[in-house]
Amino acid sequence: MSAPRKNKADRPLSARGVNYSTSPLLAAKTPPWRSRFLVALVGLAFAGLLGRALYVQVIAQDFFQRQGEARYAHTLELPSSRGRIVDRSGQVLASSVAVPSIWAFPKDVDVDPAKRAELAHILGVSAAELDKRLDPSNRFVYLSRQVDDEMSAKIKALNLKGIFQDHAYKRQYPEGEAAAHVVGFTNVEDRGQEGIELAFQKDLQGRDGSREVVRDRLGRVVEDIGEWVPAVNGKDINLSIDAKVQFFAYQRIRDAVAENQAKAGSVVVLDVQTGEVLALANFPSYNPGDRKNLSGEQLRNRALTDVFEPGSTMKPFTVGLALETGRVTPDTPIDTSPGRFTIAGATISDSHPHGVLTVSQVIQKSSNIGTAKIALQMQPREMHEVFTAIGLGQRPQINFPGAVTGKLRPYKSWRTIEQVTMSYGYGLSASLFQLARAYTTFARDGEIIPVTLMRAPGADPVPGVRVFSPKTAEQIRAMLETVVGPGGTAPEAMVSGYRVGGKSGTAYKQEGRGYAGHKYRSWFVGIAPINKPRIVVAVMVDEPSAGSHFGGQVAGPVFSQVVAQTLRLMGVAPDQDVKMQIVANQKIPAEEESF
């Protein structure tokens, strides 16, 4: 018997038979637009990601490539060595040596407080200052540059993570204070700040190279990438300075400043054949390698930057013009009685009455009245032309910073009394360097020569510009020789073994619109040997206060010592006879100088 059949309504519904769209249980309660909106948002997100990927990988690829490389790739600077500065014989006056510099990646530095405190102590800074430098926001920082080996070893011994050392170059100056005003110095960036270092910065500096490397997280180089760019070292500068002459000149002017309780002093030595500067020394000076607590007094290259009224050192040029124009001869008598001379309401005087003097004796005795009466025979224009020809009122044509022009007013504005005072060195100004060059006129038979701090390529005489005839120059040299002999103002400038000549000068220092009553400048400018000149030496001592202030007594001995040493170093044979050497070794009283 078969089982009874069930109705359709009694059968269970299969999943296939369910109508979801009409089921009240599954009917959506949210509006259809919301689902569409969500789908659109998802689509926009995918589009944004696709756009971002396109921007990163295609459009801004270079930028993101650089940012990525910055995390591991570094450019190491390969410092160039700055060129050397050497003297005429190749002796080093300035050179560069490799020294450590301490730097860090602040975010990688060990945070151990004890080690940080020790690092701060070694560096000589406070803990707060060190923390400021090691702020993690700084990607790279120098902690100390150009340190000594002792500090480098102590920091290395700390073994601090994130602290590194590289080698850079630091300048050394073997001649120290003696040549400081010539060579100058550089700053921590190795750029010239004074002297030859500044004047020849472009030639000396060279060009740094570079090296692209990959560093690990400890800062170690693990791979080279790219090409090396080699460093190009700077050029050497070969100066005309003779280190031995420079050192001796510095010692002598330093001693003279101390002995005379003076404020400062300078010496210039010129080779009259080549125009080379053999020495340019100043005191006070400084050590170019240690410039802590320096003052302007130490830094000033006084021989080039300080100007003053040259006083009696101008008298030979006034007399030279009178000789050249035939107005006088060396034996022409000049009446200087009674020791005072009034002109245009102003009175000039000599140190004491001399009576009648020859023109040669006017130079020997340094007579203001004699020089004034000679000057009154000439036109202001003539004197101005000679003063201009010897370089007054013009910046010296020398590649050196700080050289000054001095003062020489146009002749059309000169009053008669001003023409007179200029004839013996008041009312105009010059530097010691300008005076030294001016005296090459007499040393080179009437020609003034260009001067240089660079080593001349040969020993042949450099051409000059004619100011006086050879005869006039020879006559002036003969007068200058009498200045250092008996009856002259500077017997202490005599040099044993050599015939020399020169002119002493003494002048009151200017203060405001007038002159200080007890402040002087003393100098001596001379030529040696006088019959066949090889050098001109100019000496200036500022504010001697130990008793004597006359140029022959204060600056004359420095001239004598520097000349003797320089001529021996140059191999110049003595030319003085035995009788004159005996006289030179005796103490001869000096004629009191008029100024």
Side-chain angles (χ1 to χ4, degrees), residues 23-55:
S23 171
L25 297 174
L26 298 175
K29 295 180 180 181
T30 57
W33 66 265
R34 185 171 295 180
S35 60
R36 296 189 186 99
F37 178 71
L38 290 174
V39 171
L41 285 179
V42 173
L44 286 173
F46 276 107
L49 291 174
L50 181 62
R52 178 65 176 171
L54 179 66
Y55 175 77

Side-chain angles (χ1 to χ4, degrees), residues 93-124:
L93 302 178
S95 64
S96 294
V97 294
V99 293
S101 289
I102 314 299
W103 56 275
F105 291 137
K107 65 179 181 179
D108 295 334
V109 174
D110 198 327
V111 295
D112 184 341
K115 286 189 175 182
R116 280 210 179 196
E118 181 63 20
L119 177 61
H121 176 71
I122 295 172
L123 293 172

